[in-house]
Amino acid sequence: MDAVRLIGASRRALAGSGDTIEVVAEAWQAQALAQAIGSRFAVSGPPELRGEALGLTELAGRGCGVLNAPPLDMADLRAAQLTELGDARESLLCLGGLLGEVGIALVGIACAADDQGTYWQCMEAIDAADESRDRVLEMLRRLAARDQGVAERGRATG
């Protein structure tokens, strides 16, 4: 399945999650998907994105690590369903939106947490989602700079 469809599925699942366990499970799924997308960009994405993509992979992995992994069957793991990136810009825009929504959902859980463990787990996961989103935004900036350079070279030769 392409990245944009998987991100859309994650956004819908996050929006539909109700309790703390469901929100944390969806946040974990989103970070796992960000890690998979980062890995795919690092291996086969535009060359100017590969360094940032590796950073995204590491940060999203940290986001998974601070959250309790939900008990999932491999068929339920959205990241395992990733087959293609599709349009790089659209995939990154959607991923940035998802990571922002994850952060917001985790803020709600942290604010309502009855115990310090849940609170700090959420705070670390919020930080990881925010840093992952920053990497996505940097990747978008690099794509825009690349496209601007291509357009300027085209005008110069045309």
Side-chain angles (χ1 to χ4, degrees):
M1 190 178 302
D2 73 46
V4 171
R5 286 181 53 202
L6 286 170
I7 293 165
S10 285
R11 288 176 105 165
R12 287 186 298 279
L14 180 63
S17 58
D19 63 10
T20 298
I21 293 170
E22 290 176 348
V23 171
V24 169
E26 288 307 324
W28 187 91
Q29 283 262 32
Q31 287 286 17
L33 183 55
Q35 186 178 28
I37 291 170
S39 293
R40 187 67 63 101
F41 270 111
V43 171
S44 61
E48 45 282 302
L49 301 184
R50 292 186 180 159
E52 292 297 326
L54 281 172
L56 173 60
T57 301
E58 292 172 15
L59 289 167
R62 184 175 65 112
C64 288
V66 299
L67 294 167
N68 295 326
L72 290 173
D73 186 275
M74 200 58 162
D76 296 328
L77 179 60
R78 287 186 207 102
Q81 299 171 29
L82 180 66
T83 57
E84 62 181 279
L85 291 172
D87 178 69
R89 182 173 322 291
E90 183 179 11
S91 295
L92 291 170
L93 284 169
C94 291
L95 182 58
L98 172 61
L99 291 167
E101 291 167 12
V102 163
I104 291 167
L106 289 170
V107 165
I109 297 300
C111 289
D114 292 332
D115 63 285
Q116 291 292 315
T118 300
Y119 173 81
W120 287 111
Q121 177 186 20
C122 286
M123 295 309 289
E124 289 182 38
I126 292 165
D127 186 47
D130 187 48
E131 288 181 32
S132 293
R133 187 169 182 272
D134 287 347
R135 287 294 168 122
V136 169
L137 294 174
E138 179 60 23
M139 291 168 73
L140 283 165
R141 188 193 67 71
R142 288 179 186 236
L143 271 180
R146 179 197 69 178
D147 292 348
Q148 183 179 3
V150 168
E152 288 174 1
R153 285 190 297 278
R155 284 191 296 271
T157 60

